[in-house]
């Protein structure tokens, strides 16, 4: 049989059928950037393709970080100090800090400066085995700066061998130009910023922050209607600080994902499951903000709501640079199983971005692979710190 490349002497975690899908002594073959075979070595068809001896490594689908804000200017280490002194995230935001602080630094930065600042953050993820990453805007809060963030995100995908999915998050906070006129700004996002991003092909999805310090469900719905009218799927920051109906709203719009969900009720979670909306869990924010209330994992399990796991990499509430660390936090803080955590950064993370061509090792999928020098996949969730990734493959070629 004709293959472009074959990986041998490896064990596979295929992520098929909602399990780890373990295959001892496995093999993977690639053809035209896709997986042409993934299974036991003994069943691999005869071939004369170049091979890589993986030295007994475990191969997983390339990891997917499905919720990041990695393109931004400046940092908020000073606010970190303030929180340690007792200030809450909400108090800092109401005093002009938080998102608006990063807005000011981001507006001042050129596209080139934003790319240069983001590349080291991206490179850290790639070293851990990430092959797909989502990047949000949301720190410009005006048309030019929002589009500049999205262009910078697209540029990251050209500068490195990685797939970058972009989300327009202009409805992240009310900018100072619209102080006291939040609804007017939401209307501006819906009528001006969303159409502009769509027309320039810069956004793969539209996101919003539905919260008592951000936008109401009604204002969020206005943005979502504009997005869907232009053929763009939607995502939502939901119920992080209060149960404000965000999860239910995401389900009503058939959102790709609803993210955070620390205070979502069981009924809304069940509605998400029925709508096919993925729950994206962000333990980095829980840890950084010292939250005492966690997402209702038991409710998600009961109704079969798919769970993804991500860094939420951002300068304020989750300055997390490691997706492998999120695997450990997902297990230790939220009590996810190893299978739930690893599905959360592969198959379910792909679903949270609307990708059907990646996230598992199966024939016909993109040949995006991550190789790890571990004795079993559980080690990826077990260790705090360290990085056992020994190789990445993107579309069938070593990266």
């Amino acid at each position: 049989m004709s293959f472009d490349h074959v990986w041998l002497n490896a064990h596979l975690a295929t992520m098929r059928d909602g399990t780890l899908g373990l295959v001892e002594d496995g093999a993977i073959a690639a053809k035209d950037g896709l997986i042409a075979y993934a299974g036991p070595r003994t069943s691999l068809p005869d071939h004369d393709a170049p091979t890589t001896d993986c030295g007994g490594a475990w191969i997983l689908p390339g990891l997917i970080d499905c919720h990041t804000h990695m393109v931004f200017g400046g940092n908020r280490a000073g606010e970190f100090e303030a929180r340690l002194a007792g200030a809450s995230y909400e108090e800092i935001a109401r005093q002009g800090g938080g998102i608006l602080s990063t807005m000011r630094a981001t507006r001042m930065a050129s596209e080139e400066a934003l790319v240069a600042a983001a590349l080291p953050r991206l490179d850290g993820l790639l070293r851990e085995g990430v092959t797909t990453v989502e990047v949000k805007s949301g720190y410009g809060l005006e048309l030019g700066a929002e589009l500049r963030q999205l262009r910078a995100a697209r540029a990251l995908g050209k500068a490195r061998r990685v797939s970058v999915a972009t989300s327009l998050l202009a409805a992240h906070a009310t900018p100072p130009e619209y102080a006291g006129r939040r609804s007017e700004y939401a209307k501006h996002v819906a009528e001006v910023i969303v159409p502009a991003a769509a027309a320039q092909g810069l956004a793969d999805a539209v996101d919003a922050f539905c919260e008592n310090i951000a936008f109401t469900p009604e204002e969020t719905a206005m943005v979502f209607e504009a997005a869907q009218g232009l053929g763009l799927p939607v995502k939502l920051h939901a119920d992080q600080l209060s149960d404000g109906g965000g999860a239910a709203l995401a389900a009503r719009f058939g959102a790709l994902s609803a993210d955070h969900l620390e205070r979502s009720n069981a009924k809304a979670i069940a509605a998400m499951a029925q709508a096919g909306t993925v729950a994206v869990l962000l333990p980095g924010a829980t840890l950084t903000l010292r939250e005492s209330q966690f997402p209702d994992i038991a409710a998600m399990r009961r109704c079969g709501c798919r769970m993804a796991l991500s860094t939420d990499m951002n300068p304020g509430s989750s300055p997390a640079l490691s997706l492998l660390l999120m695997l450990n936090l997902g297990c230790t803080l939220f009590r996810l199983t190893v299978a739930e955590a690893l599905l959360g950064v592969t198959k379910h993370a792909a679903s949270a971005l609307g990708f059907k061509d990646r996230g598992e090792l199966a024939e016909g999928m993109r040949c995006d692979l991550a190789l790890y020098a571990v004795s079993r996949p559980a080690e990826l969730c077990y260790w705090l710190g360290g990085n056992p990734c020994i190789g990445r493959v993107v579309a069938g070629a070593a990266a």
Side-chain angles (χ1 to χ4, degrees):
M1 184 172 288
S2 175
F3 298 131
D4 294 331
H5 202 93
V6 174
W7 290 263
L8 297 170
N9 191 15
H11 312 298
L12 315 181
T14 65
M15 300 298 153
R16 297 180 195 166
D17 304 319
T19 70
L20 291 176
L22 303 182
V23 178
E24 301 277 354
D25 189 16
I28 292 179
K31 179 69 175 177
D32 298 328
L34 304 179
I35 295 174
Y37 176 83
R41 178 191 56 79
T42 53
S43 299
L44 178 69
D46 292 337
H47 66 91
D48 59 0
T51 63
T52 294
D53 185 326
C54 299
W58 278 91
I59 300 180
L60 275 72
L63 303 192
I64 299 170
D65 196 350
C66 64
H67 180 130
T68 86
H69 306 251
M70 72 167 61
V71 172
F72 58 86
N75 70 65
R76 304 212 307 256
E79 293 178 16
F80 176 73
E81 291 183 273
R83 284 200 304 273
L84 292 177
S88 71
Y89 178 67
E90 189 169 354
E91 288 170 344
I92 290 171
R94 293 194 185 283
Q95 293 169 7
I99 294 167
L100 294 184
S101 172
T102 300
M103 177 207 74
R104 291 188 287 272
T106 301
R107 286 184 177 183
M108 292 175 61
S110 66
E111 180 182 330
E112 293 74 17
L114 291 173
V115 171
L119 277 173
R121 302 168 195 142
L122 176 62
D123 286 341
L125 294 178
L126 303 191
R127 286 191 292 269
E128 293 187 339
V130 170
T131 56
T132 299
V133 64
E134 185 255 19
V135 180
K136 303 180 190 296
S137 64
Y139 292 127
L141 305 183
E142 57 93 14
L143 178 60
E146 285 291 307
L147 298 184
R148 188 162 64 249
Q149 275 194 276
L150 293 174
R151 286 195 298 270
R154 291 281 196 231
L156 293 175
K158 296 176 182 177
R160 296 291 186 269
R161 293 202 63 206
V162 63
S163 295
V164 175
T166 58
S167 296
L168 173 68
L169 182 58
H172 197 192
T174 304
E177 297 88 346
Y178 283 84
R181 298 183 293 135
R182 185 190 61 214
S183 292
E184 287 185 40
Y185 178 65
K187 183 178 180 182
H188 175 71
V189 171
E191 295 182 351
V192 177
I193 300 181
V194 170
Q200 296 185 34
L202 291 174
D204 299 314
V206 170
D207 201 342
F209 188 16
C210 183
E211 190 52 76
N212 52 20
I213 62 169
F215 296 92
T216 67
E218 293 75 20
E219 291 158 351
T220 302
M222 187 192 319
V223 174
F224 279 6
E225 287 164 359
Q228 292 187 336
L230 293 166
L232 291 173
V234 297
K235 304 168 67 66
L236 186 63
H237 287 58
D239 304 336
Q240 179 185 10
L241 306 174
S242 63
D243 185 356
L249 180 70
R252 177 158 67 88
F253 277 89
L256 291 174
S257 73
D259 306 27
H260 283 293
L261 307 172
E262 285 88 339
R263 289 168 171 79
S264 299
N265 63 75
K267 182 178 179 182
I269 290 170
M272 284 175 49
Q274 187 172 7
T277 298
V278 178
V280 177
L281 309 177
L282 305 171
T286 299
L287 180 71
T288 301
L289 299 179
R290 302 174 66 190
E291 284 284 353
S292 58
Q293 188 163 335
F294 298 163
D296 192 343
I297 304 300
M300 294 177 191
R301 288 174 177 147
R302 283 195 303 270
C303 65
C305 186
R306 293 169 296 171
M307 295 178 284
L309 193 61
S310 184
T311 60
D312 189 18
M313 183 191 294
N314 73 72
S317 61
S318 186
L321 301 176
S322 168
L323 188 57
L324 293 181
L325 178 58
M326 297 306 106
L327 286 172
N328 178 276
L329 293 181
C331 293
T332 56
L333 286 181
F334 297 164
R335 310 308 295 171
L336 298 181
T337 67
V338 167
E340 287 171 336
L342 290 175
L343 284 163
V345 296
T346 54
K347 186 173 183 175
H348 295 166
S351 296
L353 297 178
F355 288 127
K356 298 180 180 180
D357 64 346
R358 66 198 72 186
E360 61 181 296
L361 304 181
E363 187 174 331
M365 291 290 196
R366 268 178 62 104
C367 191
D368 288 352
L369 313 176
L371 284 67
Y372 297 99
V374 294
S375 63
R376 57 192 296 169
E379 284 194 54
L380 298 177
C381 303
Y382 166 67
W383 292 108
L384 278 167
N387 177 13
C389 184
I390 59 171
R392 264 189 344 127
V393 173
V394 175

